[in-house]
Amino acid sequence: MKRLFALLLLPAVASAGGQFLPLRGVRPGARGGAFVAGADDPGALWYNPAGLASLVGGEPHTLLIDAAWAGHSVSYTRIDSGGNALPTVADDSQPLLLPTLAAEFDLGDRWALGVGLVAPYAALDGYPEDGGQRYSLVSFHGSVLATLEAAVAFKLTDDVSIGAGIQNTFVKLRSKLVFSACPKEIVCAPEDPEFDAPGRIDATSWLTPSAVFGIQATATSWLRLGASVQLPSFVSAGGTVKVRLPSSGFFNGAHVEGDAADVSLTLPLIVRAGAEVRPVPAVAIEAGFDWEAWSMQDQVEVTPHNVRVEGAAGVGTYDFGPLVIPRRFKDTYALRLGVEAEAAPGLFVRAGFVHESGASADEYLTVAAVDTDKNVVTAGVGYRFGKVRVDAMVGHAFMGSRDIGRGTSCAPQQNPIRPPAGACVHDGSPDHVYVGDGSYDSAWTFAGVGMQADF
Amino acid sequence: MRRAPWGLLACLAACAPPAFDDTREPADTGSFGTIAYTLICKRLAYLADRADGSGTYDVTGATYRAFCRVGGAAPPNAYPEVVALGAGRARLIGALDTAFPASFLGPLQGLLTANGFLALYDDGTIVGASQTLADLMKAMAGDAEFRAAMAQLDARRGMRPPIPALGALRVVARYPDLDAFLLAVPPAIAPGGAAHDEFQHLVVAASRELADTGTVARRADPERTLNLAIQLLLTESPSFPSARPRWLARRDARGLPVVATIAPPYVDKDGDGLADVNATGSFVDAAGAPIASPTPFPVAGAADAAPRDAFGRAALYRYVDVDRTLLGAVARDAFDLLSPSRGTGLDLLRASAVLLGARRTTTRAYAHAAPLTYRGFDASGAALLDMIYAYLDLLADPGIDDTLGLLRALVADHEHEASRLLEAILATNDLGKQFPGAALEPGSPLYDDLVPVANQILAVPGLAEDVLRALEAPETRDLAARFGELMTYKDRIDFDPSTQATIGSFRTPVDRTATDSGFNRSLFQRILHLIHDSDGHAICNKDGAIIRLFGIPLSLPYNACDLMRIDDLAVFYVQSIAYAKDAQGRVLYDSDGRPLPKALLPLNLPSWMRPLTTDGLLEFSSGIDGFRWHPTPQALNRVLFLDPSPSFIASVLDPPTCADGDRYIDQHPGSLAALELKDTYAPIRPLVQAFADHDAEHLFVAVLSVLHKHWPSRRSLQHQHTNPVGYGYAWQSNVASYEPLIARMIADAKLWPAITESAATVDAIVVNGKNAPAVLASHGRWVFGPRPGLAKRGGATTTTTEDGRPVATLSPWHLLADAYKAKRAALAAAGDEGKLWDRAGGEVLDLLARGDATGGGWRFRNPRFRGMTLLLIDFLRGRVAAHRGTLDDWLHREMPARVEEVMTGPVYAGAADFVLSLSSAPSARAALESLGQHLLSGGEPTDVTLTVAGDLLQWFADDPDLVPLVHMAGKALDPAGGLVDAHLTFLAKARAVDTRTVVATVLSNLFDQPGPGLTADAAIVDAICDVNRTSPVADRGKPLGADDYGRVFDVVGTFLSDEKRGLRRFVDIVEDRHLP
């Protein structure tokens, strides 16, 4: 069992905020994530823990296992700070299995308990180290984001259930990007690769608590309403930042000492609401609305501790200071529509559509968070064999191209040499190096299978 | 299932991230110079890209990466500045590697990254230094006149040989003790240093003076002070030996090399004596076309096909061997003056402040600069100015050319005598320092009393000349020895009444611890007393005197004075020493062949008796040998002092009394006979004879009387000094205190032998048809003679003697005397500070003017002194001649005013104060002096120092081109700009944390030569200029123009101050190196 757990959890994925797909789970995903009012299996841990109460009075235990694959394709043609279009780079995202492992227990007396380990649907992007995007991201390969949750649901009445879960999100962030150690233009052009300092941030947070609350209410025999609130998570991860000094002779004789660093970021508050209609008992149609407060993630901070360059020419010791990666995300909203119908006994068909607005403003759009408006189409099937149901899902997210014109981006080149970039300035000169201008094309394709067993 | 979380953790632990490859692959593996060049090139390319207006930028540096790293062909359409940099790639890399060799990089990095050095970023020191320099660069860039002047300067290259052409800074930078200098000097003069305030006063003064510099209307005017200085300092003299020629091209007032012979294609159409040039300073032919003229010396890096001699000189021009000039001579001697162990030069400057009087706050106005309020010298009380004024007045002597000519002839043609005399004087002066007790009573009017006598002597035609000639007499040489004995001993010398022989000898020295009274006075003092008491004192026969022979009366009793009256016994006595002469000046002899003393007994004998009264009869009758009609001094001695007096004498004379009414035998016994012991009359006779020949014996006596008046000390019981008409009056100046000194001086046998043995040679010198004695006497008359209308520097036309008596008409001597009186007072009031003047002055004299007896005679120890003296004399004669028509105005108004302006100005005051302040920083002072010595230590440093100094001196005459540069120098020094303080602060602090002499090594390396004729710093500067000039490619190799300089300065200034991509950015980086 432990091996199974390991196998399933190892690739659990996350990346920085704003890159999640607006859905997760094979069955919910096939419904386009419209699974707030209609949540009725362990998948409710993610969408609405009140849905766990659906088990009350049914089978005493339910186990849900699924896994999905999310493919993220990005092509980016950067316009550098000198106004030059650089060769297009394509995402080399790391193929991952995104699991759901959840169990639900009927505790009796109108109580139900759910536990699970879930991960958002995200991709671990990767790009060439010498590509034009390198100052934003080289790769997230090796990162992990997984949430362990325990939730209880209570059936207040036959028609109203509430649920609450506590969560701990495990964050293992591995971000490779290239810093520039060009001391402005004293001896170098601002994007001279000989002043590139490839770096890797490894940060792990074992404890990132949060909570989720939900409610479901059956208004009529054909209408059920639901809502949930996912509290934000404040990630503070300890780890390392490692840097390879630039190749320029300016750094001959220098070396880096120390590598301890902290990373902090915030995962947003999410409010979900949905209304499920059952025009006939075998058909459920849910419409939903999500509001995700990504604006809470204003920036990602990397705080080195006693990391320093020693032996720098004419300087000696130079401390690495905090790196601030501005995100300036916008709140997003998602409109969902999902359908699930028992087309034949034990055979379920599902479809869904989601429109979600992008979190990234033009000024802060980079390959580290290519989060534009999405239109996601999903479909899936399920078949129940006795107490076991097997599900499958496929989907594609159509994302709008984004052309960030020259002089738009305010995402700064990361340069550990102080002072840090200040206010965003566009004056036609390359004095301020921003790394987000250019054309972005991206899309997601995902699929998954799973099973649920009642016993 | 329950263990699932722990399984997760285990997994994550097992899935530790792969190792991060932090192995750096250096892109630059060459030398420091190569790496630095690469970085510079890339920066330059990027900045050019930024400025090209295309709107896009190669922010990766890809276009020029290979070109900058390995050289070769430039990219297509490369930026001119990058191309220009690339063209000088090898040279710049070589220069950088020379300045920063691999072995030095470790220590350099060690200093730069030392906490103490990094602190200079934090406290603003480095920003201060760079910003002030940037400000200056910007000012240079914005000053059109300065830029034009720089361009003109650049067009005047090749004036110095290759090594000196590298500049004087190189000599400083390569000073072996530069590190010690940096350790001592900057901390002392930087803000907070012991000498900072005074140094800043000096700097601000220099700044204002430089800023106020203006052009002169006629820069080539030979009478212009600067041109005179050039003439004086850069005229070669055969008197200056040179084993190492130090050639320098002569410049004219245009700053151009002087064409030696103006022959076609060179022309002089404007008749100014110089080859014609065009507006850019190129020589032109008759048609006005520029001539391709070689530079006087080859210029490093410039093509040169001109034929040159072994010294690299092109034959076209005039040159001067600076080593054979006064400048060279002074420089050599300045080496010793700068000795830290003696400190002569700076002490002299320091002590001069004592002589420049009190301080007062004053304001100097400038035509082209802001007024400066400073603590200057109050000229009204400046003894030094009085001294200078008085010496200048000596040049007003109409016969000064004769005097100077005499000095010149003496030094030029009679070095043996000149050096011997001067050495004797200096040795005597030194000797005096061993006798601190030798001092006149304060307020003594000794000289005031002597001067009238001197004037009387000088007023007698030919007397002074004859006195001088008397020194030639061989007998005179013994005079000093005799006088020495007389001044040493106090023995009583009497006559044996029976034999009339002298009794006694020189055995008992004067007891200097006792009062100079009675017989504890030297014989000399007693004889002076005697002579004084005889001066003007008449001696007569006694009343009732009867002439007897063998006891038989031959006459009736005479009334007093009827038989004999000697109006002035002293004069008579002197006459007895001298010989009588006929009208032709021949000595008269008696029948026995004995020279006749000039004294003639004024016996009023009956006419019948005169033929019978022969010399023999007189001697027989008196019983005194020599008591003849023309008595000898020995005879007179016995007449006065034989006791008992011979009967013949006693029958005629009562025991003689002196002016005080005392009998000689009572008041003056035992003294005069001393003159007979070693026949003092013989050596003194030539001098006495000179007076006698002019019937001026009374003047000789007057001199002795004056001496007597001042000889006794105030302790002497023999005299009183309060009642000039009372008994025993003397001023009592204590000249007697000099007796030991004089005796010692005589014993040393230097001065008097030098005088007497040189006298014949000196006297034989003829100048302008006049012999030396006449010349000296004439000048003496000028010096001592009252001159109606003569005024002191302050305008006063009267003065007082030392004892307060009014002097209605001044003589030059009075000017000197009053000046020296003021000097002595000032030095005395200054205590130890005042002693510096005498000590330092003495050392200067020792350095310059001492003489040595060598196998071939006497020579000046300093082989340059003779030449220096001759040049100065010639210069003075020339100046006097040039101002002959306006000499009075020039000497009494123009020159004093100029001197006063300089010496009371802020620069001189600042310099003096600065030197004084260095007493609080003795190591800084020593370091400054040592550096000065290094510059003049011979070999290459002196090559450079001399030729650079000589060249600058000439260059200063080129006002139109120079003034803008000088103005800029003034701006640079202006404390308001902070440049000096900022850089001194940096140097001081940097050196303080420099444990491996890095700062000094950097400076030294910068001036090392990566190749012939080029220093590393010059190569770096050239590269900066080549790259940043307006047309780097099209104008490559051409001299920089005004616009080029403007751009270069602007770019450098911008780099130093630019906070985005200049040095300030780097400073910011370092300042931010640590987190808060």
Side-chain angles (χ1 to χ4, degrees):
Chain A
M1 183 58 74
K2 284 189 288 187
R3 286 191 174 187
L4 176 62
F5 268 63
L7 177 66
L8 294 174
L9 292 176
L10 180 62
V13 173
S15 75
Q19 271 196 305
F20 304 146
L21 277 169
L23 45 79
R24 71 159 316 288
V26 171
R27 180 183 167 222
R31 292 172 49 141
F35 198 62
V36 175
D40 56 1
D41 68 13
L45 283 171
W46 179 265
Y47 288 95
N48 185 355
L52 296 174
S54 298
L55 187 67
V56 173
E59 294 294 337
H61 310 105
T62 300
L63 175 66
L64 172 64
I65 300 173
D66 72 18
W69 165 86
H72 191 204
S73 65
V74 179
S75 70
Y76 171 48
T77 303
R78 183 179 167 225
I79 300 172
D80 69 15
S81 58
N84 308 290
L86 301 181
T88 300
V89 293
D91 176 20
D92 173 27
S93 88
Q94 192 175 32
L96 297 171
L97 286 177
L98 303 165
T100 304
L101 178 61
E104 186 177 357
F105 306 93
D106 182 358
L107 300 179
D109 197 19
R110 308 170 75 90
W111 284 91
L113 168 67
V115 295
L117 183 66
V118 298
Y121 281 8
L124 298 184
D125 293 337
Y127 299 92
E129 188 170 294
D130 58 353
Q133 89 305 323
R134 64 190 184 278
Y135 298 123
S136 301
L137 178 67
V138 172
S139 89
F140 283 128
H141 293 178
S143 296
V144 174
L145 182 68
T147 300
L148 185 65
E149 180 177 335
V152 293
F154 180 69
K155 205 173 182 73
L156 292 174
T157 67
D158 289 344
D159 298 323
V160 178
S161 301
I162 59 172
I166 57 171
Q167 302 165 320
N168 177 49
T169 299
F170 168 75
V171 178
K172 182 174 188 297
L173 175 64
R174 177 174 298 161
S175 174
K176 291 174 69 176
L177 75 164
V178 172
F179 304 102
S180 172
C182 173
K184 292 293 181 183
E185 294 144 17
I186 300 173
V187 291
C188 47
E191 297 190 29
D192 186 341
E194 291 181 355
F195 283 81
D196 281 355
R200 190 179 77 187
I201 300 166
D202 285 288
T204 301
S205 172
W206 296 96
L207 180 63
T208 306
S210 187
V212 58
F213 305 95
I215 184 169
Q216 284 182 338
T218 302
T220 66
S221 59
W222 51 269
L223 176 62
R224 187 156 62 166
L225 303 175
S228 67
V229 175
Q230 168 66 58
L231 298 182
S233 298
F234 301 97
V235 179
S236 180
T240 62
V241 56
K242 295 180 180 295
V243 176
R244 181 195 313 151
L245 287 177
S247 62
S248 169
F250 192 76
F251 292 89
N252 284 2
H255 65 281
V256 177
E257 288 287 335
D259 62 4
D262 289 336
V263 177
S264 63
L265 56 86
T266 301
L267 297 177
L269 168 74
I270 302 172
V271 177
R272 298 185 176 97
E276 184 185 66
V277 177
R278 287 182 179 267
V280 294
V283 176
I285 304 171
E286 179 168 337
F289 174 81
D290 292 0
W291 172 71
E292 300 186 4
W294 280 107
S295 61
M296 297 176 72
Q297 191 179 102
D298 188 57
Q299 61 190 27
V300 176
E301 293 181 6
V302 180
T303 306
H305 297 294
N306 200 25
V307 181
R308 60 203 182 278
V309 175
E310 300 273 12
V315 181
T317 301
Y318 194 89
D319 294 340
F320 272 59
L323 297 174
V324 176
I325 302 170
R327 305 289 257 184
R328 309 287 191 275
F329 281 155
K330 300 181 294 184
D331 292 348
T332 63
Y333 65 90
L335 297 174
R336 307 173 187 274
L337 181 63
V339 178
E340 182 174 17
E342 186 170 9
L347 176 63
F348 301 90
V349 294
R350 304 175 185 115
F353 173 79
V354 187
H355 170 82
E356 186 190 52
S357 60
S360 299
D362 284 355
E363 292 83 351
Y364 295 94
L365 179 63
T366 70
V367 293
V370 188
D371 191 54
T372 62
D373 291 352
K374 311 172 195 63
N375 291 301
V376 186
V377 178
T378 62
V381 296
Y383 189 80
R384 176 177 290 278
F385 301 94
K387 293 187 176 181
V388 176
R389 189 186 72 222
V390 178
D391 300 305
M393 175 271 293
V394 65
H396 184 84
F398 300 90
M399 302 185 68
S401 296
R402 287 276 284 273
D403 288 322
I404 308 301
R406 181 186 179 191
T408 301
S409 177
C410 289
Q413 181 190 50
Q414 289 301 317
N415 188 324
I417 298 175
R418 288 172 285 280
C424 184
V425 175
H426 293 298
D427 56 7
S429 79
D431 288 347
H432 308 276
V433 183
Y434 301 107
V435 297
D437 290 341
S439 299
Y440 297 82
D441 287 293
S442 66
W444 294 81
T445 299
F446 52 92
V449 294
M451 61 158 286
Q452 176 178 308
D454 300 325
F455 55 94
Chain B
M1 287 293 290
R2 292 190 301 272
R3 298 173 65 182
W6 308 115
L8 172 65
L9 300 181
C11 168
L12 292 172
C15 299
F20 179 77
D21 181 8
D22 61 358
T23 305
R24 176 175 170 268
E25 295 291 338
D28 298 296
T29 56
S31 66
F32 174 85
T34 306
I35 295 172
Y37 172 86
T38 302
L39 296 171
I40 292 167
C41 177
K42 290 168 70 173
R43 167 190 162 85
L44 186 67
Y46 176 65
L47 294 182
D49 185 15
R50 284 178 56 93
D52 69 3
S54 67
T56 60
Y57 314 96
D58 175 13
V59 292
T60 67
T63 308
Y64 289 89
R65 181 169 295 123
F67 176 72
C68 289
R69 176 157 290 124
V70 298
N77 303 316
Y79 297 113
E81 52 267 56
V82 183
V83 174
L85 182 69
R89 182 176 188 275
R91 196 168 79 151
L92 180 55
I93 289 174
L96 291 168
D97 284 337
T98 299
F100 304 100
S103 60
F104 177 60
L105 296 180
L108 176 63
Q109 171 76 349
L111 172 66
L112 295 179
T113 59
N115 287 335
F117 191 89
L118 292 170
L120 305 187
Y121 294 93
D122 305 333
D123 66 10
T125 298
I126 289 179
V127 169
S130 63
Q131 187 58 52
T132 53
L133 187 57
D135 292 343
L136 180 65
M137 290 290 167
K138 290 290 186 181
M140 290 175 173
D143 187 332
E145 291 184 350
F146 174 76
R147 296 197 310 266
M150 287 296 293
Q152 287 284 33
L153 184 64
D154 208 40
R156 288 157 169 72
R157 297 187 294 174
M159 307 299 291
R160 309 172 199 161
I163 293 297
L166 298 176
L169 279 179
R170 179 169 179 270
V171 179
V172 175
R174 295 174 65 80
Y175 172 39
D177 290 330
L178 181 61
D179 184 63
F181 177 87
L182 294 173
L183 185 61
V185 176
I189 60 179
H196 169 260
D197 291 349
E198 291 77 7
F199 179 72
Q200 190 168 52
H201 293 161
L202 175 60
V203 169
V204 70
S207 166
R208 297 292 167 80
E209 295 287 340
L210 291 171
D212 193 53
T213 305
T215 58
V216 297
R218 295 187 304 158
R219 54 178 160 164
D221 184 353
E223 289 302 307
R224 183 184 176 192
T225 303
L226 180 58
N227 290 333
L228 291 171
I230 292 172
Q231 176 203 338
L232 175 63
L233 292 171
L234 290 182
T235 299
E236 285 185 35
S237 167
S239 301
F240 299 130
S242 173
R244 184 185 176 104
R246 293 179 163 110
W247 293 108
L248 171 68
R250 286 302 306 262
R251 294 188 193 233
D252 58 31
R254 302 169 302 185
L256 297 170
V258 176
V259 175
T261 303
I262 302 176
Y266 298 90
V267 294
D268 179 19
K269 295 168 88 174
D270 57 7
D272 63 356
L274 302 171
D276 293 346
V277 296
N278 61 16
T280 62
S282 296
F283 291 111
V284 295
D285 59 19
I291 304 169
S293 304
T295 55
F297 292 96
V299 175
D304 181 46
R308 298 184 182 279
D309 65 10
F311 298 105
R313 299 178 299 174
L316 179 62
Y317 306 107
R318 281 181 55 202
Y319 299 86
V320 57
D321 177 3
V322 188
D323 207 47
R324 299 174 67 88
T325 65
L326 181 59
L327 177 65
V330 169
R332 287 180 180 220
D333 289 323
F335 176 85
D336 289 322
L337 296 179
L338 292 170
S339 163
S341 62
R342 291 197 295 271
T344 308
L346 294 185
D347 279 351
L348 208 54
L349 174 60
R350 174 176 164 179
S352 69
V354 173
L355 298 179
L356 283 171
R359 292 304 187 89
R360 63 171 182 171
T361 299
T362 186
T363 300
R364 173 157 290 191
Y366 297 99
H368 306 293
L372 176 64
T373 299
Y374 65 102
R375 292 284 295 164
F377 294 105
D378 183 356
S380 64
L384 188 56
L385 294 179
D386 289 341
M387 292 165 65
I388 293 170
Y389 180 85
Y391 280 114
L392 284 172
D393 180 69
L394 296 182
L395 298 177
D397 177 7
I400 190 63
D401 189 70
D402 300 336
T403 306
L404 293 173
L406 173 62
L407 280 175
R408 191 189 195 291
L410 181 63
V411 174
D413 305 328
H414 305 285
E415 185 175 354
H416 170 83
E417 288 77 12
S419 60
R420 185 182 181 188
L421 281 168
L422 205 45
E423 169 59 25
I425 292 169
L426 294 176
T428 302
N429 184 59
D430 290 346
L431 195 60
K433 297 170 186 170
Q434 300 176 25
F435 293 85
L440 293 181
E441 187 72 17
S444 165
L446 169 65
Y447 299 106
D448 293 303
D449 290 343
L450 281 173
V451 165
V453 180
N455 273 324
Q456 291 177 60
I457 294 171
L458 290 163
V460 177
L463 172 55
E465 291 88 326
D466 285 345
V467 168
L468 291 171
R469 290 191 186 93
L471 300 175
E472 301 176 27
E475 309 92 294
T476 310
R477 297 176 187 176
D478 291 334
L479 184 60
R482 300 290 82 77
F483 278 9
E485 291 163 342
L486 294 174
M487 292 182 192
T488 301
Y489 299 106
K490 65 177 185 178
D491 299 281
R492 177 168 180 161
I493 312 297
D494 291 310
F495 296 113
D496 184 327
S498 57
T499 65
Q500 298 186 10
T502 56
I503 302 172
S505 63
F506 299 138
R507 289 186 306 182
T508 311
V510 176
D511 180 1
R512 303 290 175 187
T513 62
T515 63
D516 51 332
S517 305
F519 282 100
N520 192 45
R521 293 178 296 163
S522 71
L523 285 158
F524 193 86
Q525 182 174 352
R526 282 147 48 194
I527 292 170
L528 287 177
H529 188 189
L530 184 154
I531 291 174
H532 169 267
D533 282 2
S534 306
D535 183 13
H537 181 59
I539 294 288
C540 288
N541 63 284
K542 65 182 181 183
D543 193 26
I546 297 174
I547 302 173
R548 296 175 188 275
L549 184 64
F550 303 119
I552 304 170
L554 296 179
S555 71
L556 296 174
Y558 283 85
N559 293 326
C561 298
D562 281 355
L563 175 60
M564 181 190 72
R565 176 184 172 85
I566 297 173
D567 293 333
D568 188 325
L569 181 57
V571 168
F572 188 78
Y573 189 82
V574 169
Q575 287 176 332
S576 73
I577 300 171
Y579 295 141
K581 291 183 176 178
D582 62 14
Q584 285 71 44
R586 292 172 297 198
V587 174
L588 299 176
Y589 296 87
D590 63 15
S591 56
D592 293 328
R594 295 172 299 203
L596 288 176
K598 186 181 177 184
L600 175 62
L601 284 174
L603 292 175
N604 185 22
L605 296 175
S607 56
W608 61 269
M609 193 179 289
R610 289 190 65 90
L612 299 176
T613 311
T614 63
D615 285 340
L617 180 62
L618 288 173
E619 282 185 308
F620 175 77
S621 301
S622 64
I624 298 173
D625 286 345
F627 188 76
R628 300 185 286 265
W629 280 99
H630 292 274
T632 64
Q634 292 88 345
L636 294 181
N637 292 344
R638 285 156 179 79
V639 169
L640 291 173
F641 292 104
L642 269 178
D643 188 17
S645 183
S647 60
F648 175 81
I649 298 300
S651 66
V652 176
L653 292 174
D654 285 331
T657 58
C658 60
D660 283 335
D662 298 320
R663 298 195 313 171
Y664 279 98
I665 54 174
D666 297 331
Q667 185 65 24
H668 300 290
S671 303
L672 208 52
L675 297 177
E676 298 182 21
L677 288 183
K678 293 185 179 179
D679 190 14
T680 303
Y681 300 111
I684 203 173
R685 183 170 291 112
L687 283 172
V688 168
Q689 190 69 51
F691 285 90
D693 290 347
H694 293 274
D695 297 328
E697 298 87 349
H698 63 286
L699 296 179
F700 182 79
V701 171
V703 171
L704 299 181
S705 286
V706 169
L707 291 178
H708 160 73
K709 178 180 175 183
H710 295 282
W711 209 269
S713 74
R714 287 285 164 97
R715 297 195 303 160
S716 175
L717 303 176
Q718 213 79 33
H719 303 283
Q720 56 85 18
H721 61 274
T722 55
N723 180 12
V725 298
Y727 176 82
Y729 172 76
W731 206 93
Q732 297 178 272
S733 295
N734 197 26
V735 179
S737 64
Y738 286 83
E739 286 180 337
L741 166 62
I742 297 171
R744 171 69 184 280
M745 178 187 77
I746 291 169
D748 285 351
K750 288 186 177 176
L751 182 59
W752 189 250
I755 293 172
T756 54
E757 292 171 20
S758 302
T761 302
V762 174
D763 290 349
I765 296 172
V766 175
V767 180
N768 298 333
K770 302 165 190 167
N771 57 47
V775 170
L776 292 173
S778 171
H779 193 60
R781 280 187 281 276
W782 175 262
V783 171
F784 295 109
R787 206 161 87 231
L790 178 62
K792 296 165 70 171
R793 185 172 63 91
T797 55
T798 62
T799 185
T800 59
T801 62
E802 283 286 329
D803 56 346
R805 290 168 283 148
V807 176
T809 304
L810 299 176
S811 69
W813 178 85
H814 285 113
L815 301 187
L816 280 168
D818 284 355
Y820 273 85
K821 180 181 178 182
K823 171 202 162 190
R824 287 191 299 272
L827 294 180
D832 289 342
E833 199 70 14
K835 292 175 183 173
L836 288 178
W837 177 264
D838 286 335
R839 185 183 63 73
E843 288 172 354
V844 172
L845 289 173
D846 287 347
L847 172 66
L848 296 175
R850 300 309 291 249
D852 278 328
T854 62
W858 281 81
R859 289 286 181 273
F860 288 113
R861 192 178 302 166
N862 184 326
R864 297 167 296 280
F865 179 68
R866 177 171 170 272
M868 293 164 71
T869 305
L870 294 178
L871 278 175
L872 288 171
I873 291 172
D874 290 347
F875 181 76
L876 281 177
R877 294 177 81 181
R879 292 295 81 218
V880 169
H883 290 275
R884 178 55 67 192
T886 58
L887 200 57
D888 178 64
D889 186 61
W890 184 62
L891 292 173
H892 295 115
R893 279 168 286 282
E894 182 181 343
M895 286 298 294
R898 283 193 193 183
V899 172
E900 180 176 321
E901 182 182 10
V902 170
M903 302 196 82
T904 63
V907 172
Y908 199 92
D913 287 347
F914 174 57
V915 173
L916 179 61
S917 70
L918 288 177
S919 59
S920 300
S923 60
R925 173 179 163 144
L928 282 169
E929 290 171 321
S930 295
L931 175 61
Q933 281 203 308
H934 166 68
L935 297 177
L936 302 170
S937 58
E940 189 174 304
T942 302
D943 290 348
V944 175
T945 304
L946 279 183
T947 46
V948 169
D951 196 34
L952 288 176
L953 185 65
Q954 297 184 94
W955 177 51
F956 287 160
D958 180 21
D959 297 62
D961 297 326
L962 174 72
V963 165
L965 305 182
V966 171
H967 286 175
M968 190 54 69
K971 186 172 291 186
L973 292 177
D974 188 349
L979 180 76
V980 176
D981 272 354
H983 286 262
L984 286 173
T985 299
F986 171 73
L987 276 178
K989 291 183 175 179
R991 176 56 191 87
V993 298
D994 180 8
T995 57
R996 298 177 68 179
T997 68
V998 170
V999 177
T1001 305
V1002 167
L1003 292 172
S1004 177
N1005 288 350
L1006 278 172
F1007 288 88
D1008 206 348
Q1009 289 182 264
L1014 186 71
T1015 57
D1017 82 299
I1020 294 169
V1021 170
D1022 283 352
I1024 293 171
C1025 293
D1026 288 346
V1027 165
N1028 294 299
R1029 64 185 311 164
T1030 53
S1031 298
V1033 173
D1035 290 344
R1036 180 167 177 76
K1038 298 178 184 175
L1040 295 176
D1043 291 343
D1044 294 326
Y1045 274 110
R1047 190 165 188 282
V1048 169
F1049 290 131
D1050 184 63
V1051 168
V1052 174
T1054 299
F1055 171 76
L1056 291 171
S1057 59
D1058 191 334
E1059 296 182 354
K1060 290 183 177 177
R1061 57 188 67 89
L1063 182 61
R1064 287 290 295 275
R1065 172 59 188 146
F1066 181 76
V1067 172
D1068 288 344
I1069 290 171
V1070 179
E1071 285 179 359
D1072 286 342
R1073 65 194 178 282
H1074 292 307
L1075 298 172

